[in-house]
Amino acid sequence: MVMWVQRIFMLLLVSSFASSDFIENPDFETPPLNSNASSNSSMLLDQNNTLPGWTVQGTVQYVTSLELPDTGHAIQLSEDGKINQTFSAKGDDMNYILTFALIPGGKNCSASAGVIVSGPDSNSVFSYRHNYSQAPWQSYSHNLGSWGNGEPINLVLESQTVDSDTNSTCWPIIDTLLIKTLGVTLVQDSGNLLSNGGFESGPSFLPNSTEGVLIDAVPSLIQSALRQWSVTGTVRYIDSEHFHVAEGKAAIEILADTSPSSIQTATRDTSEGSRYNLTFSLGDANDACRGHFVVGVQAGSAAQNFTLESNGTGSGEKFGLVFRAEEAATQISFTSYSVTITKEDVLCGPVIDQVMVLPLGGTASVKPTWLLLLFALLYVAFL
Ligand SMILES: *[C@@H]1O[C@H](CO)[C@@H](O)[C@H](O)[C@H]1NC(C)=O
Ligand SMILES: *[C@@H]1O[C@H](CO)[C@@H](O)[C@H](O)[C@H]1NC(C)=O
Ligand SMILES: *[C@@H]1O[C@H](CO)[C@@H](O)[C@H](O)[C@H]1NC(C)=O
Ligand SMILES: *[C@@H]1O[C@H](CO)[C@@H](O)[C@H](O)[C@H]1NC(C)=O
Ligand SMILES: *[C@@H]1O[C@H](CO)[C@@H](O)[C@H](O)[C@H]1NC(C)=O
Ligand SMILES: *[C@@H]1O[C@H](CO)[C@@H](O)[C@H](O)[C@H]1NC(C)=O
Ligand SMILES: *[C@@H]1O[C@H](CO)[C@@H](O)[C@H](O)[C@H]1NC(C)=O
Ligand SMILES: *[C@@H]1O[C@H](CO)[C@@H](O)[C@H](O)[C@H]1NC(C)=O
Ligand SMILES: *[C@@H]1O[C@H](CO)[C@@H](O)[C@H](O)[C@H]1NC(C)=O
Ligand SMILES: *[C@@H]1O[C@H](CO)[C@@H](O)[C@H](O)[C@H]1NC(C)=O
Ligand SMILES: *[C@@H]1O[C@H](CO)[C@@H](O)[C@H](O)[C@H]1NC(C)=O
Ligand SMILES: [Ca+2]
C-alpha cells in the first residue's frame, strides 16, 4: 500500500516544470527593431520600434538599467502603457503560473502606479512594496489559470491609471517573465489530509533572485499561485537555495505589517467527530530575522498561539494542535501577529512548513466509505 502510494507520488511529481519557452522575448533582451542595440538610454516604443514578441500600446519605454535582475533591459509602462503577448497552452490541462520582476520606476515621485497583470479570465494589481526586499526589485507571481490543448493564453501587462499628475508619477518597470506549469491534480502526500502542506507547489523563483517571491492577498484557493492555499496580507515564498527551509525546496515566511498576515487551506475528508493532529514546523528563514514570533494556528474551532524566540540563524521546530473535526472540510489557518524587521529594515517573520493533518488512532481514522464497503462485504458473506 505504502509502496503504491509512493509510486503515484513520484509519477505526479514529474508533472511540474518552469520554462521560458512559452513566452517569446520574456526578459526583453531582444531589442526593438530599428534601434541601436548598444544604445544605453531609454527609448519610447512606437510603430517604428516594435518589440519582438510583444504588441505595445500607449506610452511604453524600453529601458536600460543596472538595477535589473539581469542588468540589462526592461520595459517601463507609463501612462496608458500596455504590452501583450499570446502563447499556446501545451498538452493536457495545466496551471500556468507567472513569476516576474517588478522595479519601481524613478525616484522622488508624489505617486506611484502599479501594474495590472491579466490572463484570459483573471487579473491582479501589483505595486512595488518598500521594506519588503533589500534588492532594488521584487518578484511577484500570478496564476493565469488552467489551460490545455493549444488554448491561446493572452498575457497582458498594463500600468494602473493614477489620479495624480502623470509627470510626477513613478511608473512601473517589469522584467524577466517566467512561466511554470503545475499539474491540475495535486500531489497527495500519503496519509496527510492536506494538499501542498509542504508548499512545494507554487510559483517558480527567478534565476537571479535571492529574496523569494512575494505573494499578495488572494482570497481563493483556486486563483492562488500557491496551490491550495489562500493568503491574507503578504507572505514570502522562500526557496531552500537562499533560505533555511525545514523540508523540501520551499516554505512560507509570513510577513505581518500593520495588520496580521495569514495563509489558509482546508482538509480533504476529515470525518465528523474524529480527532486529528495538525502538525507543522515553525521556525525562521535564516534571514537575520530576530524577534519574538507569535503564530496563531486554527483548525476548525480549535485555536492556539505558538511562540518562538528567533535569533534569525535558521531553525524549525515541530508543533501540533489536536482538534475534533466538525465537518469533512476543516478550515486550517496560520496567522502571524508579530511585526519583525531585519537590521536592514526589511520585513520578515515566522516560517511555516511541513503542515500535516493526521488521524489520531482508533477506528476513527477509518473512512466511512471503507466501513460501508466492509459492512457490505460482511453482509454478502453472511448471506
Ligand atoms: C543608430 O546610431 C547611429 C550612429 O550612432 C545613428 O546614425 C542612427 O541614427 C541611429 N539609429 C537610430 C534608429 O537611432
Ligand atoms: C552605459 O552607461 C554606463 C554608465 O551609466 C557606462 O558605464 C557604459 O559605458 C555605457 N555603455 C554604452 C554602450 O554606452
Ligand atoms: C515612423 O516612421 C515614419 C517614416 O520615417 C514617420 O513618417 C512616422 O512619423 C514615424 N512614426 C512615429 C510614431 O514616429
Ligand atoms: C543574472 O545576473 C547576471 C549579472 O548580474 C547576468 O549577467 C545574468 O544574465 C543574469 N541571469 C539571468 C538568467 O537573468
Ligand atoms: C494583443 O492583443 C490583441 C487583442 O487585444 C491581439 O490582437 C494581439 O494579437 C495581441 N498581441 C500578441 C503579440 O499576442
Ligand atoms: C528629490 O526630492 C527632494 C525633496 O523633495 C529634492 O530636494 C531632490 O532634489 C529631489 N531629487 C531629485 C533627483 O529630483
Ligand atoms: C522602511 O525602510 C526605511 C529605510 O530603508 C526606514 O526609514 C523605514 O522606517 C522603514 N519602515 C518600516 C515600517 O520599517
Ligand atoms: C509633463 O512634462 C512634459 C515634458 O517634460 C511637459 O511638456 C508637460 O507640460 C508636463 N505636464 C505637466 C502637467 O506638468
Ligand atoms: C493569539 O494572540 C493574538 C495576539 O496577541 C490574540 O489576538 C489572539 O486572541 C490569541 N489567540 C489565542 C487563541 O490565544
Ligand atoms: C540560535 O538558535 C539556535 C536554536 O534555536 C541555537 O542552536 C543557536 O545556537 C542560536 N544561535 C545564536 C547565535 O544564539
Ligand atoms: C501531535 O503532533 C505533535 C508534533 O509532532 C506531537 O508532539 C504531539 O505529541 C502530537 N499529539 C498527539 C496527541 O499525538
Ligand atoms: Ca517545504
Side-chain angles (χ1 to χ4, degrees):
M1 175 69 178
V2 169
M3 284 288 289
W4 181 75
V5 169
Q6 272 175 348
R7 199 163 305 154
I8 291 190
F9 183 78
M10 293 306 289
L11 276 174
L12 286 168
L13 262 186
V14 185
S15 64
S16 121
F17 63 101
S19 171
S20 49
D21 293 347
F22 290 102
I23 304 178
E24 184 188 343
N25 200 8
D27 51 7
F28 310 109
E29 292 310 306
T30 310
L33 303 175
N34 307 321
S35 77
N36 285 331
S38 63
S39 158
N40 217 357
S41 55
S42 299
M43 71 182 292
L44 195 65
L45 296 175
D46 54 36
Q47 54 267 57
N48 292 343
N49 293 306
T50 54
L51 183 64
W54 298 93
T55 297
V56 170
Q57 283 172 59
T59 313
V60 177
Q61 309 241 31
Y62 187 69
V63 299
T64 306
S65 165
L66 295 174
E67 296 202 329
L68 298 175
D70 53 11
T71 65
H73 304 95
I75 288 297
Q76 182 163 32
L77 300 167
S78 298
E79 198 176 3
D80 301 322
K82 177 172 169 177
I83 61 168
N84 73 296
Q85 179 171 145
T86 307
F87 62 93
S88 293
K90 290 178 198 157
D92 292 341
D93 273 14
M94 299 282 258
N95 262 278
Y96 284 75
I97 316 275
L98 169 76
T99 306
F100 64 98
L102 176 63
I103 306 109
K107 297 184 173 74
N108 253 5
C109 8
S110 59
S112 45
V115 58
I116 306 166
V117 177
S118 331
D121 61 5
S122 64
N123 66 76
S124 304
V125 182
F126 300 90
S127 306
Y128 184 84
R129 313 275 298 275
H130 293 280
N131 302 76
Y132 278 79
S133 64
Q134 230 180 307
W137 51 280
Q138 283 162 356
S139 303
Y140 282 94
S141 64
H142 178 71
N143 186 348
L144 293 165
S146 148
W147 310 95
N149 299 315
E151 281 177 297
I153 304 170
N154 189 20
L155 170 63
V156 184
L157 298 107
E158 60 196 301
S159 61
Q160 210 180 7
T161 48
V162 290
D163 292 332
S164 57
D165 169 21
T166 56
N167 277 6
S168 60
T169 298
C170 275
W171 297 99
I173 296 175
I174 51 156
D175 200 2
T176 329
L177 279 63
L178 188 60
I179 298 280
K180 181 182 189 180
T181 54
L182 292 172
V184 174
T185 319
L186 266 174
V187 176
Q188 307 285 13
D189 201 350
S190 54
N192 191 358
L193 297 175
L194 279 186
S195 296
N196 201 19
F199 307 109
E200 301 300 304
S201 199
S204 63
F205 299 97
L206 296 182
N208 271 349
S209 167
T210 58
E211 303 198 42
V213 180
L214 293 176
I215 305 179
D216 280 338
V218 51
S220 138
L221 303 184
I222 294 157
Q223 280 162 14
S224 178
L226 181 64
R227 298 295 308 284
Q228 226 36 48
W229 290 87
S230 59
V231 174
T232 313
T234 303
V235 301
R236 183 181 287 128
Y237 189 52
I238 58 171
D239 58 321
S240 56
E241 239 175 89
H242 300 100
F243 295 91
H244 181 268
V245 162
E247 186 185 50
K249 294 198 156 131
I252 288 292
E253 182 178 15
I254 308 180
L255 312 171
D257 195 357
T258 46
S259 56
S261 286
S262 65
I263 51 172
Q264 305 92 28
T265 191
T267 60
R268 273 177 288 133
D269 27 29
T270 39
S271 19
E272 200 181 322
S274 297
R275 288 168 75 243
Y276 298 88
N277 196 1
L278 165 67
T279 69
F280 56 93
S281 113
L282 167 63
D284 76 278
N286 187 21
D287 54 0
C289 192
R290 293 163 146 272
H292 177 71
F293 295 160
V294 180
V295 176
V297 181
Q298 186 137 15
S301 55
Q304 193 182 327
N305 280 346
F306 294 83
T307 60
L308 187 81
E309 296 305 326
S310 166
N311 59 22
T313 54
S315 64
E317 205 180 318
K318 281 261 187 141
F319 293 96
L321 172 64
V322 174
F323 68 94
R324 194 175 285 281
E326 281 150 27
E327 52 197 324
T330 303
Q331 303 297 314
I332 307 281
S333 72
F334 295 86
T335 305
S336 173
Y337 292 102
S338 26
V339 181
T340 23
I341 52 167
T342 66
K343 253 190 266 173
E344 286 77 30
D345 286 325
V346 178
L347 277 161
C348 60
V351 174
I352 304 293
D353 202 0
Q354 291 177 287
V355 185
M356 300 186 87
V357 170
L358 301 169
L360 275 176
T363 49
S365 68
V366 181
K367 284 178 199 153
T369 44
W370 283 100
L371 271 179
L372 274 177
L373 195 69
L374 193 68
F375 279 129
L377 280 174
L378 283 175
Y379 185 67
V380 169
F382 179 75
L383 286 179

